[in-house]
Amino acid sequence: MDTYRLHQGTAPLLVSLPHDGTGLPDDMAPRLTDAARSLPDTDWHVSRLYDFARELGASILVPRWSRYVVDLNRPPDDISLYPGQNTTGLCPVVQFSGEPVYHEGAGPDAAEIAARVDSYWRPYHDTLDAELARIRGEHGRAVLWEGHSIRGTLPFLFDGALPDLNLGTAAGASCTPALQQRLAEVLAGQGDYTQVVNGRFKGGYITRHYGDPEIGVEAVQLEIAQRAYMDEDSFEYLPERAEKLQVVIRRLLEAALA
C-alpha cells in the first residue's frame, strides 16, 4: 500500500513530516463529522515549506494518510506524551478544537486501531528507521528533523498564542548540547519571529524515540505556528510569507548540518 513517499538525499539529514498527509480511506471518510472531514488538524503545506531542503541534500519522508487515520508521531501503545494536558491520541477521536472527529458511535474500536497501526503506522516507521540507518552508515551520523505546524491559538491544547517557532529536543535528551545551542542561537538572532526552546512542544514520539546522541542520531522538532506562512482559516499557503520563513528554516537546517 502506498503509505508514504521518500526522497533519498546525500547529506546526513532526514526531514520527517508525519502530519502532512491528507488521505482518508474510502470507508472512513463518511464516518467523520463535517468539520473533521476538512482535516483542520493537518500540518498544512509543510512538505511545500520544506521542499527547498532537497537543495541541502536532505532526505525527506512524507506520509500519504491523514493523522486522523493514525498519528505517526504517537507511540503505538498510545501512552500520553504530555501527561495531565489535553492532547489527541494514536487514532484521534477529538479534534484540536475539542470537537469530535467521528459521528456518534462511529469511532474505531481496538481491532481497527491495531489494523491501522499495522497498515499505516509501521510502514512509515520502518522506513524512517531504515533511512536513518542508511544515513548513519554513509556519514557516521544522522540528524532527524521533525517538521510540524499547528494553528497558533488552540485553547483546548494550550493557553494564549503559541510562539511562531517552537524548537523541541525532549528537554535536551534527543540531541547534543552543541546542536541545541547552535539552533537556539539561530532562533535568538533572527529577530522576525517569536521563538522558544522546549516550551509547550518539546518533541513528540519520533523525536523522543529516535533521538540518541550516543549512537550518532540527533533528533529535533520544529513546531511552527501556521500564521507564519499561511492563512489559518482558509488553509491557503501564502508564498511571500512562506519565503520569508524559509530563510530562517534554511539557517536552522544548515546549523543542524554544521
Side-chain angles (χ1 to χ4, degrees), residues 19-81:
H19 295 151
D20 181 81
T22 56
L24 289 174
D26 291 340
D27 62 348
M28 180 180 165
R31 297 157 59 189
L32 270 58
T33 66
D34 290 344
R37 211 170 295 147
S38 68
L39 308 178
D41 301 334
T42 302
D43 290 13
W44 289 105
H45 310 298
V46 289
S47 59
R48 182 174 178 181
L49 192 65
Y50 277 94
D51 190 61
F52 76 88
R54 296 168 183 252
E55 301 168 13
L56 302 178
S59 297
I60 304 176
L61 180 61
V62 185
R64 173 184 176 185
W65 302 99
S66 166
R67 70 187 303 158
Y68 285 166
V69 180
V70 68
D71 192 329
L72 300 169
N73 202 29
R74 296 291 187 273
D77 58 10
D78 205 16
I79 292 177
S80 177
L81 298 171

Side-chain angles (χ1 to χ4, degrees), residues 19-187:
H19 295 151
D20 181 81
T22 56
L24 289 174
D26 291 340
D27 62 348
M28 180 180 165
R31 297 157 59 189
L32 270 58
T33 66
D34 290 344
R37 211 170 295 147
S38 68
L39 308 178
D41 301 334
T42 302
D43 290 13
W44 289 105
H45 310 298
V46 289
S47 59
R48 182 174 178 181
L49 192 65
Y50 277 94
D51 190 61
F52 76 88
R54 296 168 183 252
E55 301 168 13
L56 302 178
S59 297
I60 304 176
L61 180 61
V62 185
R64 173 184 176 185
W65 302 99
S66 166
R67 70 187 303 158
Y68 285 166
V69 180
V70 68
D71 192 329
L72 300 169
N73 202 29
R74 296 291 187 273
D77 58 10
D78 205 16
I79 292 177
S80 177
L81 298 171
Y82 295 97
Q85 301 183 51
N86 285 340
T87 185
T88 56
L90 178 63
C91 292
V93 295
V94 177
Q95 301 174 51
F96 288 168
S97 64
E99 300 172 288
V101 171
Y102 295 90
H103 294 298
E104 187 173 354
D109 59 17
E112 183 178 356
I113 291 172
R116 291 188 196 179
V117 169
D118 286 341
S119 296
Y120 305 106
W121 191 95
R122 295 200 187 283
Y124 190 89
H125 282 267
D126 288 347
T127 300
L128 193 158
D129 194 39
E131 184 63 6
L132 284 175
R134 181 191 72 82
I135 291 171
R136 219 174 119 220
E138 291 185 6
H139 300 278
R141 64 183 284 248
V143 176
L144 172 59
W145 189 274
E146 275 288 293
H148 294 264
S149 74
I150 193 170
R151 191 178 182 92
T153 304
L154 285 168
F156 180 70
L157 296 182
F158 48 82
D159 295 330
L162 197 67
D164 298 318
L165 303 176
N166 303 263
L167 192 76
T169 65
S174 65
C175 72
T176 60
L179 175 54
Q180 180 171 307
Q181 181 178 349
R182 292 199 304 273
L183 298 174
E185 287 174 353
V186 171
L187 289 177

Side-chain angles (χ1 to χ4, degrees), residues 186-202:
V186 171
L187 289 177
Q190 48 78 33
D192 292 320
Y193 302 97
T194 57
Q195 51 86 21
V196 68
V197 177
N198 289 313
R200 169 62 177 84
F201 293 96
K202 296 177 174 62

